[in-house]
Amino acid sequence: MKEKCIFGPVQSRRLGMSLGINLTPYKTCSLDCAYCECGKTTDLTIIRKDYIPIEQVQKTLKRYSGSSLFRSKPPSCVTFAGFGEPTLHSGFGSIAQFAKRTFPDQYLVLITNGTLFPSHPELFQEVQPIDIILPSLDAGSEEIFKKIDRPHPSITLASLVDGLIQLRENYHGQIWLEVFIVEGINDSESELYLMRDAISRISPDRVQLNSLDRNPAEDWVNSTSPQRLIAIAEFLGAELLSKNSINIQVDALV
């Protein structure tokens, strides 16, 4: 059975109308995040493969770009996201180049957990066609990183942060770092100080704070009060994302 490789367009709080590109089978990822709205990871891996044939993805994107739906209401962004970690696809670079040629008037966006950059440095070149990269940082300590993000055994918080620092040095597009707050887990004063230090070293263009909005993979993940989120956002120098937040239009920020 063929994998679904595009979805939407859908309305995004951060990106406006966004067409999604999915490059992996359901829940193939290098993390098993407790808060993931797609559920638990079933294939925890750092192995890059041609999970969905490149030709299939290209044909689907080309067909959509010529459709009446696209012509009548083009999205603001074309976004690599979906059911797992997009950079696990071994053909990510060529697909990104094809998407850039096919959708020259749209922002090309990558939503990633950022964990593969240290072990797969070829990604620094592969992401060059991308206009905006949205990686994640959910912890300041290894203990909390393992509790919330539940990584593949080869991944550490230190390697993640180092990879994002290298990304900043090798990539000249926009980096919007997302921090997901889990009440009672990563919102302590000590953890927030460590996260703020890591954010400073990564030097993203924007920091966006998020909390639980949909059903998580684990029922112990709880949302944080709006007042607490506002305080954390101010401490981290972040924009607050919530279900009640005003949509952030990408063309106003890039």
Side-chain angles (χ1 to χ4, degrees):
M1 182 176 68
K2 291 184 178 181
E3 299 290 347
K4 183 177 181 180
C5 53
I6 68 169
F7 56 95
V10 295
Q11 182 68 38
S12 165
R13 287 174 294 176
R14 292 179 283 183
L15 304 172
M17 289 302 296
S18 174
L19 176 72
I21 304 177
N22 174 64
L23 297 181
T24 65
Y26 182 76
K27 290 308 298 173
T28 297
C29 196
S30 52
L31 300 179
D32 182 20
C33 296
Y35 59 78
C36 185
E37 64 189 44
C38 294
K40 297 180 180 181
T41 294
T42 53
D43 184 8
L44 186 67
T45 183
I46 59 167
I47 303 296
R48 302 188 75 200
K49 294 180 182 179
D50 186 15
Y51 288 96
I52 300 176
I54 294 174
E55 296 78 10
Q56 179 186 334
V57 178
Q58 292 177 338
K59 287 180 181 178
T60 303
L61 294 178
K62 192 67 175 178
R63 185 166 58 248
Y64 177 78
S65 70
S67 68
S68 58
L69 175 62
F70 176 77
R71 291 194 298 269
S72 63
K73 196 173 182 180
S76 302
C77 300
V78 175
T79 305
F80 291 97
F83 299 139
E85 171 51 43
T87 60
L88 280 169
H89 197 293
S90 57
F92 179 83
S94 61
I95 293 171
Q97 292 177 14
F98 182 86
K100 192 66 174 176
R101 294 193 301 269
T102 306
F103 301 98
D105 298 323
Q106 278 66 45
Y107 293 106
L108 199 59
V109 180
L110 168 63
I111 297 178
T112 175
N113 60 36
T115 59
L116 296 187
F117 289 111
S119 57
H120 297 283
E122 69 274 11
L123 280 168
F124 294 122
Q125 182 60 39
E126 292 181 22
V127 299
Q128 294 307 317
I130 305 294
D131 297 299
I132 310 170
I133 298 179
L134 280 66
S136 297
L137 179 72
D138 303 322
S141 67
E142 187 68 27
E143 176 186 1
I144 298 302
F145 176 61
K146 288 182 177 179
K147 184 173 182 62
I148 294 178
D149 293 330
R150 301 186 296 192
H152 183 275
S154 67
I155 297 170
T156 65
L157 178 62
S159 70
L160 168 60
V161 172
D162 286 346
L164 295 180
I165 292 171
Q166 291 179 61
L167 176 66
R168 175 76 289 172
E169 294 171 349
N170 290 278
Y171 169 74
H172 301 293
Q174 291 271 309
I175 298 176
W176 297 2
L177 184 69
E178 181 182 10
V179 177
F180 193 101
I181 297 297
V182 180
E183 185 179 42
I185 307 296
N186 64 346
D187 56 352
S188 67
E189 181 178 347
S190 60
E191 199 70 16
L192 293 173
Y193 268 106
L194 290 171
M195 278 195 278
R196 190 170 70 172
D197 176 68
I199 290 168
S200 176
R201 290 188 287 128
I202 294 166
S203 191
D205 296 281
R206 313 188 82 90
V207 182
Q208 298 177 328
L209 194 70
N210 208 350
S211 188
L212 188 64
D213 188 29
R214 302 173 187 171
N215 291 333
E218 301 291 351
D219 57 13
W220 51 261
V221 174
N222 295 312
S223 59
T224 307
S225 71
Q227 294 79 10
R228 179 60 176 150
L229 287 174
I230 290 171
I232 294 172
E234 291 178 352
F235 179 79
L236 296 179
E239 301 162 347
L240 179 58
L241 298 175
S242 70
K243 62 183 177 181
N244 296 320
S245 64
I246 298 173
N247 288 335
I248 301 171
Q249 294 299 318
V250 65
D251 54 358
L253 296 176
V254 175

